[in-house]
Amino acid sequence: MKISFCCTGTEPTPWLAGLRAALPQAQVELWQPGAAPADYAVVWAPPQQFFDQQPLLKGVFAIGAGVDALLRLRLPPQATVVRLDDAGMAVQMAEYVCHAVIRHFRELDVYAADISHGQWTFHKPRHRADFPVGVMGLGVLGQRVAQALTQFEFPVNGWSRSPKVMPGVRGFNGRAQLDAFLASSRILVNLLPLTFDTQGILNRDTLSRLQPSGYVINVARGAHLVDDDLLALLDSGHLAGATLDVFRTEPLPLKHPFWQHPKITITPHTSARTLRETSIAQIAGKLEALERGETVVGRVDLERGY
Ligand code: NDP
Ligand code: OXD
């Protein structure tokens, strides 16, 4: 069995060593243009040329959770596409989002500014009941985040395509319930996949529906957000702030207003990182399951786009 590794922006040596150790029966090679066709591929941001030269692939394993960029390429029609399913990302995402929510709710930036000015000042405690958090996308990552937020006793709303029942989470689903979900939320966390249906979903209309002094946390994809709409709502005061981990162009161009905006915190697409050992173990297990003719979780539905 041949496995081709083609991950742009990833140091290949430890991945190749890890995949070879986990799948000793396989021949695992770093892809080079003109390489012989493989049976499986392990990819991140591969060029179209890769798939054009790999017509026999039975399976394509992404080393990330989001497959929006992959699905924009022409893939071999018979290939099963599999994404990472948690693989250690869910707890990281829960940490990141809870940190952003609590930092905003507890006014920790205000305290930091006070302290930097030598001021020992108390601010009136705020009520968490006044800070309902809405989580868009209740998949592998969104559910973990929503559950973590309930541990801190925030009111939590969740929005997904199909109905979900989660303890402590008020569920909304489908476009018909989107407005009600937004109106019930003050802090909005985006954990949707980027698809035809969800691109630009964080826009002037939707963000205006959040409760006054809303706060936006985008940890999914930059193209979910209409940048100018966010800036306008921050400047009008309808939104109090935003924490953004993902951007339409990455790295975020230095001239982009998000870098300097006093109400925006940015991080460099780091909220949930791919963990190599865990990911290799997951990919190896699923590849062997596919070889045995079994179904695997994390299989991408190409029609839905996630
Ligand atoms: P999942 O596929 O497990 O979950 C997606 C969720 O979104 C599901 O609940 C799904 O609904 C819902 N959804 C999809 N389309 C719609 C729609 N049109 N309307 C309403 N709900 C919808 O994905 P993950 O949780 O694993 O990952 C989510 C995203 O997080 C990834 O696609 C990626 O873009 C991003 N990500 C970002 C990282 C970072 O470091 N910033 C790291 C990892 C991922 P249903 O349950 O009904 O299918
Ligand atoms: C992912 C990501 O989708 O890193 O896994 O954004």
Side-chain angles (χ1 to χ4, degrees):
M1 182 209 312
K2 283 192 178 154
I3 302 174
S4 188
F5 182 85
C6 181
C7 295
T8 306
T10 305
E11 165 54 40
T13 311
W15 279 90
L16 293 170
L19 286 164
R20 285 174 186 142
L23 294 162
Q25 74 282 22
Q27 191 186 327
V28 185
E29 297 298 343
L30 178 64
W31 179 74
Q32 307 285 357
D39 305 293
Y40 292 95
V42 175
V43 301
W44 190 252
Q48 178 61 53
Q49 187 191 17
F50 173 76
F51 289 115
D52 291 345
Q53 295 184 0
Q54 291 292 328
L56 304 182
L57 291 173
K58 293 191 269 184
V60 175
F61 291 88
I63 64 164
V67 288
D68 42 289
L70 184 60
L71 299 193
R72 283 197 285 273
L73 301 175
R74 280 184 314 281
L75 305 175
Q78 75 286 350
T80 299
V81 179
V82 184
R83 69 189 187 85
L84 288 182
D85 175 60
D86 186 350
M89 284 191 278
V91 69
Q92 296 178 65
M93 201 54 102
E95 284 165 356
Y96 183 99
V97 171
C98 288
H99 176 267
V101 167
I102 291 166
R103 179 173 163 196
H104 173 60
F105 169 62
R106 294 292 304 271
E107 302 184 276
L108 297 179
D109 287 343
V110 178
Y111 280 105
D114 290 349
I115 294 296
S116 73
H117 292 111
Q119 285 172 12
W120 186 269
T121 312
F122 292 105
H123 298 274
K124 199 165 161 232
R126 313 207 277 189
H127 301 291
R128 67 194 67 233
D130 295 335
F131 287 80
V133 186
V135 181
M136 301 180 97
L138 287 178
V140 176
L141 304 183
Q143 288 204 21
R144 184 71 179 79
V145 165
Q147 184 248 331
L149 288 163
T150 64
Q151 296 299 306
F152 290 104
E153 301 179 12
F154 287 99
V156 180
N157 304 309
W159 185 67
S160 48
R161 215 157 73 132
S162 54
K164 299 274 180 296
V165 179
M166 284 185 66
V169 178
R170 184 173 167 209
F172 297 82
N173 63 279
R175 279 278 162 171
Q177 294 183 12
L178 177 58
D179 290 355
F181 162 79
L182 294 166
S184 307
S185 306
R186 178 161 170 185
I187 301 179
L188 187 66
V189 178
N190 177 34
L191 270 165
L192 291 166
L194 182 64
T195 65
F196 181 74
D197 286 336
T198 65
Q199 57 191 338
I201 195 165
L202 305 180
N203 56 46
R204 186 183 293 261
D205 175 54
T206 51
L207 298 180
S208 300
R209 294 176 192 276
L210 291 174
Q211 295 178 359
S213 297
Y215 193 89
V216 176
I217 300 172
N218 187 19
V219 279
R221 287 290 181 265
H224 283 124
L225 175 67
V226 181
D227 295 1
D228 288 343
D229 290 0
L230 175 74
L231 290 167
L233 289 166
L234 287 169
D235 293 345
S236 76
H238 181 70
L239 294 179
T243 291
L244 308 174
D245 183 53
V246 287
F247 306 92
R248 284 178 179 260
T249 304
E250 294 179 2
L252 183 65
L254 279 172
K255 286 197 172 129
H256 197 289
F258 288 172
W259 278 99
Q260 302 298 341
H261 199 289
K263 295 181 180 172
I264 296 179
T265 299
I266 62 169
T267 49
H269 199 140
T270 196
S271 51
R273 302 286 290 272
T274 294
L275 303 179
R276 192 175 56 240
E277 285 83 10
T278 322
S279 304
I280 288 173
Q282 184 174 107
I283 289 169
K286 289 183 182 180
L287 193 150
E288 286 171 331
L290 286 183
E291 280 289 286
R292 291 192 298 270
E294 297 167 11
T295 52
V296 295
V297 289
R299 184 177 176 155
V300 175
D301 180 329
L302 301 180
E303 288 299 309
R304 280 186 332 186
Y306 69 97

